[in-house]
Amino acid sequence: MVYQHIISTPGILGGKPCIKGTRISVELILETVANGASVADIVREFPQLSTDAVQEAVRYAINALRSERIIDVDIAA
């Protein structure tokens, strides 16, 4: 999937996915949503973000989790 607003650069935020042209990470956007903020609240708090960018950050996270694989490993003590 191609993202217009999401970028990951090793020298910025340790390579965490963030909104292009900012140091606002997808993680920060998700934390803000988890704390009850709406997309409109986030755009008001971070005026450099567009509604499309915030929505794409959420979609990015959904897609990352969708492709995540959990491997159950039993470790002997």
Side-chain angles (χ1 to χ4, degrees):
M1 178 167 274
V2 176
Y3 297 97
Q4 295 178 8
H5 302 284
I6 309 297
I7 191 166
S8 180
T9 306
I12 298 175
L13 295 177
K16 285 184 178 184
C18 61
I19 305 300
K20 285 181 185 176
T22 75
R23 290 182 177 265
I24 299 172
S25 67
V26 170
E27 177 183 10
L28 177 62
I29 292 170
L30 293 177
E31 286 175 357
T32 306
V33 168
N35 286 324
S38 67
V39 171
D41 294 334
I42 295 169
V43 171
R44 267 194 305 278
E45 185 174 343
F46 302 100
Q48 65 271 46
L49 297 181
S50 66
T51 298
D52 287 344
V54 175
Q55 291 172 335
E56 186 173 282
V58 174
R59 282 192 304 275
Y60 176 90
I62 289 167
N63 287 329
L65 289 171
R66 185 174 287 139
S67 62
E68 180 181 49
R69 300 291 177 248
I70 298 172
I71 300 171
D72 189 14
V73 177
D74 189 14
I75 301 174

